[in-house]
Amino acid sequence: MADILNIGSSALLAAQRGLEVTSHNVANVNTPNYSRQRIEQSSRIGNFDSSGGVSVDLTRRLNDAVLETRLVRSSSETARLGSFDAMARRVDSLLSDPDTGLSSSLDSFFSSLSDLAANPSSTAVRQSTLGTAQSLADRFNSLHCELSSLDAEVDQRLRIAVGTLNDQTAALAKLNARIASSGANASPDLLDSRDKLVQDIAGQLQVSTVRQDDGSLNLYTGSGQPLVVGSTAVPLATSTDSFRPDRIEIAGGKQLSGGVIGGLLDARRELIDPALEKLGRMAVAISSASNSVQAQGVDLKGDSGAPLFATISGEVLPASGNSGSAQVSLGLGDSAKLTGGDYLLRYSSGSWQLSNASTGAAVALS
């Protein structure tokens, strides 16, 4: 009779545990990132003083590791595209809107030049042309300021994203410690919390995970830079860009991708910098061509034509680590030969070397 009671009680306890887990599943049916759970049972092996029964070995969560990995990657790519798209829309709106773009100011300027060519002695037409030229210059300057503000905003958003990422990796390190101390008995809900945190981190940056024997996860950036190793978090460091004091630099930034951080870096590299570069080249081309034509004519007093626009020059930014005393200035020659982009000038072994900052390719110096 005692054996029958023991068998029955083990069955009741197992059924009770099963009902508890089922109730837990039902209660969390709408909980984000919750993984359905079930109990794992095994029969007790009977012997001379026991007739067996049933044991509840553990509570297992039903999730697919492959799908979990894909979900992390999708979270990273979705966040990257969302971040990039938001900046792209703002750049597109700024350049395409007739009230903020260049098209209307350019049309007015060239139209006034046509009127001036037809009636060069008219003071009113001359004043109108000067007005449209000033409006065009103001529009160029306004666009430059707006794009520069977007560039500064990218820095602000990067600081926020990096701070959020570091908080999340610190939390993951603490979860790793709890999971490792629990061993095989780690709570499924604790594992769900960890996976949710990994997805949140992937929303900031593309990451990869490596599961350890103790159940913890090591976390790395897409390029292999460690973010979490066991119970230790490795914060992502930021500093002032050594060549651009107005920008921040993220450790390993050239290899970082995905997530909000990757989207912001892509927007800067593929949208803002090219827009600023092309805006500058256009300003140089228009101003130099206008001034060249001006110099070929005379004013109402018979004097040689003065420049219509101020001379535009490039910008030279010294690296913060420079120890020398060289002073470098930059002038622009033939605007038609401008290729855009940034160049890196170094002095090494008694000579100067120039290279393309993006590709690293050497540029011949005369």
Side-chain angles (χ1 to χ4, degrees):
M1 180 64 71
D3 289 342
I4 295 177
L5 291 176
N6 287 333
I7 293 172
S9 63
S10 69
L12 287 173
L13 290 173
Q16 180 184 25
R17 181 57 186 152
L19 288 173
E20 290 173 354
V21 171
T22 299
S23 299
H24 189 54
N25 289 336
V26 172
N28 287 279
V29 66
N30 294 317
T31 301
N33 295 92
Y34 178 80
S35 298
R36 188 166 65 88
Q37 302 173 12
R38 74 179 181 194
I39 60 173
E40 297 286 337
Q41 299 180 175
S42 62
S43 62
R44 293 177 181 173
I45 300 175
N47 51 40
F48 69 92
D49 61 352
S50 173
S51 298
V54 64
S55 296
V56 177
D57 296 329
L58 53 86
T59 302
R60 184 183 301 278
R61 62 182 189 138
L62 305 179
N63 75 322
D64 190 313
V66 174
L67 293 179
E68 195 73 38
T69 300
R70 291 182 178 177
L71 183 59
V72 168
R73 292 177 180 173
S74 297
S75 298
S76 179
E77 183 64 10
T78 299
R80 185 193 73 83
L81 291 174
S83 178
F84 184 88
D85 178 69
M87 298 300 293
R89 289 176 183 273
R90 294 174 63 181
V91 172
D92 178 70
S93 175
L94 182 65
L95 297 176
S96 63
D97 191 324
D99 294 329
T100 58
L102 283 172
S103 58
S104 60
S105 293
L106 284 171
D107 288 344
S108 297
F109 176 63
F110 288 120
S111 177
S112 67
L113 289 178
S114 179
D115 293 340
L116 182 61
N119 192 5
S121 61
S122 172
T123 302
V125 173
R126 284 172 171 265
Q127 289 298 324
S128 175
T129 301
L130 288 175
T132 57
Q134 182 63 57
S135 296
L136 179 60
D138 291 343
R139 185 60 57 86
F140 269 108
N141 291 330
S142 175
L143 281 173
H144 183 273
C145 288
E146 291 293 336
L147 289 171
S148 296
S149 295
L150 282 179
D151 188 43
E153 183 180 326
V154 167
D155 263 2
Q156 294 174 357
R157 292 181 179 273
L158 283 173
R159 287 190 181 94
I160 294 172
V162 169
T164 300
L165 176 71
N166 288 338
D167 289 343
Q168 291 170 336
T169 53
L172 179 60
K174 292 179 180 178
L175 278 178
N176 270 345
R178 294 177 61 186
I179 291 170
S181 64
S182 301
N185 297 319
S187 165
D189 298 305
L190 195 61
L191 298 177
D192 280 345
S193 297
R194 182 195 62 192
D195 289 348
K196 170 64 166 60
L197 193 53
V198 171
Q199 289 179 33
D200 292 341
I201 292 172
Q204 303 298 329
L205 186 68
Q206 181 184 344
V207 294
S208 61
T209 59
V210 178
R211 193 178 302 275
Q212 303 303 296
D213 293 339
D214 60 5
S216 62
L217 282 182
N218 286 354
L219 192 70
Y220 303 90
T221 67
S223 60
Q225 182 179 340
L227 293 173
V228 178
V229 179
S231 59
T232 302
V234 183
L236 200 61
T238 61
S239 60
T240 301
D241 192 317
S242 57
F243 288 100
R244 291 290 301 267
D246 57 330
R247 286 181 174 179
I248 67 167
E249 186 175 46
I250 304 175
K254 292 184 178 180
Q255 288 78 40
L256 299 180
S257 61
V260 171
I261 293 174
L264 290 171
L265 293 174
D266 288 347
R268 168 174 280 170
R269 182 179 60 254
E270 299 175 19
L271 296 174
I272 298 175
D273 281 350
L276 282 167
E277 178 260 314
K278 288 179 173 61
L279 184 71
R281 289 172 62 187
M282 189 181 297
V284 169
I286 291 175
S287 62
S288 61
S290 299
N291 291 344
S292 176
V293 173
Q294 276 282 102
Q296 298 174 26
V298 295
D299 60 17
L300 289 177
K301 297 179 181 180
D303 298 327
S304 297
L308 184 60
F309 297 101
T311 302
I312 298 176
S313 62
E315 187 177 17
V316 178
L317 299 171
S320 59
N322 283 353
S323 58
S325 58
Q327 297 292 321
V328 180
S329 60
L330 179 66
L332 300 178
D334 187 352
S335 61
K337 295 181 179 179
L338 287 177
T339 59
D342 294 329
Y343 293 86
L344 185 61
L345 183 65
R346 295 180 183 273
Y347 185 78
S348 177
S349 301
S351 64
W352 292 94
Q353 292 107 35
L354 186 67
S355 61
N356 187 299
S358 298
T359 64
V363 178
L365 281 172
S366 59

